[in-house]
Amino acid sequence: MAFLPILRTRLPRQCRLSLRTFASESSTTVPASSINNPYQVFDRTAKRLQKDRAVSRDTGVRSRTVDYVRDEVADRMMERLMDIKRKFDTIVDLGSGPGHFSKLLEPEKTRKVVMIESSEQTLNRDPDEDFDVEVERLHADEEKLLDIVPCNSQEAIVSCLSLQWINDLPGILVQIREALQPDGLFLAAVFGGDTLFELRTSLQLAEMDREGGISPHVSPMTDTKDISNLLSRAGFNLLTVDVDEVKVGYPSMWELVEDLRDMGESNSVIGRRHFMHRDTLAAASAIYKELHGNEDGSIPATFQIIYMIGWKPAPTQPKPLERGTAQTNLKDVLE
């Protein structure tokens, strides 16, 4: 677990944030047919607009300032990729953003990276000079991977903090497996269910006290125990799943919320409320500091990260021996 130091020191901006803190900044409406679809949890159009506006704000300067969480997770993903002793001709970066992971790739590991991102402004935020390998950028919806790449065509697909916004997670895992060549690699990191638990509990308590009920303001995340089952059901084998945390310190809840907005990580759940009363937000800030605050007056924000590695089955992959063929008794080893 890593703790990133307090990065924000500006004064709170209650008046500016109170009306749009956890809203999507989008006035788009979702068709009734989408709401009836059980896999439609997130408003993908709103999420794309959130990312576009995050990059356009201050001509991208603010979005670069808040890259710290994704850059940290990309570093840890790269450590896992470097442990795999194989060079890939091409790697697909699904939901690449501006290329947090792709910028870390070196010619010794791959010749080319294909970045796929639904937000065109985010995709093209950083120039090719920031990358050490050849870059191809595809502006497309990550949920429709097989419309972008053919089946059995990719050596490796990676995704850094993007899959948590996919409506049909089991479906996209199947698409990824279909897009991979036999013995192809899938490496990803997603936010886990305990991400921002401090913010979630503070908002819920404040809403219960001030408004007599609660509504979702932090998007639902994947539970850790479900990832292995989802990967196995999607047809991957040789699975590796592990969990880590990144803790970031902020002066108050207001700076945390502002950074989430500038990351493009505002709530995009279908049916979310687009307004929160100012006194409810003020109460949530006070509760946050009381329940979770540090001794120095700052507050922590926890980002739980689930890392996963899976391989598309192939005849050449190692297989476990049949039951009863072991030559050594485990009891003898333990003694």
Side-chain angles (χ1 to χ4, degrees), residues 33-324:
S33 59
S34 297
I35 297 176
N36 293 331
N37 187 329
Y39 291 123
Q40 292 297 318
V41 179
F42 304 110
D43 185 341
R44 295 281 297 172
T45 301
K47 177 51 57 184
R48 176 180 55 79
L49 291 174
Q50 288 172 6
K51 292 181 178 181
D52 285 344
R53 289 167 180 165
V55 173
S56 62
R57 196 172 288 119
D58 297 332
T59 62
V61 174
R62 280 293 304 131
S63 69
R64 290 181 175 87
T65 303
V66 296
D67 278 347
Y68 49 86
V69 173
R70 285 193 175 90
D71 286 344
E72 176 69 21
V73 174
D75 282 335
R76 300 185 190 189
M77 277 185 59
M78 183 55 63
E79 292 177 1
R80 289 161 172 78
L81 182 65
M82 295 306 294
D83 288 337
I84 299 171
K85 306 304 179 184
R86 181 186 297 186
K87 181 176 180 179
F88 303 93
D89 182 69
T90 302
I91 294 178
V92 172
D93 190 351
L94 185 64
S96 63
H100 304 280
F101 181 83
S102 296
K103 292 176 188 174
L104 302 178
L105 291 169
E106 298 179 350
E108 292 76 16
K109 203 63 181 176
T110 186
R111 176 187 64 85
K112 176 182 177 181
V113 61
V114 179
M115 296 166 52
I116 301 175
E117 170 61 47
S118 60
S119 167
E120 188 172 9
Q121 293 194 44
T122 302
L123 178 66
N124 296 297
R125 191 193 74 177
D126 299 337
D128 288 353
E129 289 74 18
D130 290 351
F131 300 81
D132 293 329
V133 299
E134 181 183 344
V135 179
E136 179 182 350
R137 307 176 199 243
L138 295 179
H139 174 222
D141 187 353
E142 301 96 325
E143 288 192 333
K144 302 175 181 178
L145 178 62
L146 292 181
D147 291 345
I148 310 166
V149 299
C151 293
N152 301 307
S153 63
Q154 303 302 318
E155 299 173 77
I157 297 176
V158 302
S159 180
C160 182
L161 298 182
S162 174
L163 295 182
Q164 67 271 3
W165 295 115
I166 297 294
N167 281 301
D168 183 7
L169 184 56
I172 193 62
L173 292 177
V174 171
Q175 289 190 62
I176 290 170
R177 191 252 303 158
E178 287 295 315
L180 287 170
Q181 299 174 1
D183 200 30
L185 168 69
F186 171 54
L187 167 64
V190 298
F191 286 126
D194 288 339
T195 295
L196 299 177
F197 73 89
E198 305 98 336
L199 178 62
R200 182 183 296 111
T201 55
S202 300
L203 287 168
Q204 290 174 347
L205 289 172
E207 266 195 315
M208 284 293 296
D209 179 61
R210 299 303 173 94
E211 302 181 31
I214 61 175
S215 59
H217 297 292
V218 178
S219 297
M221 309 283 181
T222 305
D223 197 278
T224 307
K225 64 179 180 292
D226 294 331
I227 290 294
S228 294
N229 291 332
L230 289 173
L231 288 171
S232 180
R233 288 175 56 190
F236 289 99
N237 61 10
L238 303 177
L239 306 179
T240 302
V241 177
D242 63 293
V243 183
D244 203 353
E245 288 184 350
V246 175
K247 283 186 177 289
V248 184
Y250 297 88
S252 73
M253 187 189 80
W254 307 103
E255 285 79 12
L256 165 60
V257 168
E258 190 172 6
D259 275 16
L260 290 174
R261 184 200 63 187
D262 291 332
M263 292 176 188
E265 292 293 332
S266 298
N267 184 17
S268 64
V269 174
I270 293 175
R272 63 202 175 280
R273 286 178 62 189
H274 291 262
F275 175 84
M276 252 188 112
H277 294 289
R278 190 174 306 172
D279 61 339
T280 304
L281 285 171
S285 179
I287 292 171
Y288 199 132
K289 186 157 290 191
E290 180 66 25
L291 291 182
H292 308 291
N294 299 318
E295 293 182 358
D296 61 1
S298 65
I299 61 164
T302 301
F303 296 86
Q304 183 187 54
I305 314 298
I306 305 174
Y307 299 93
M308 63 192 85
I309 299 175
W311 297 83
K312 184 169 181 176
T316 57
Q317 289 174 344
K319 294 178 175 59
L321 296 175
E322 294 183 7
R323 187 179 179 85

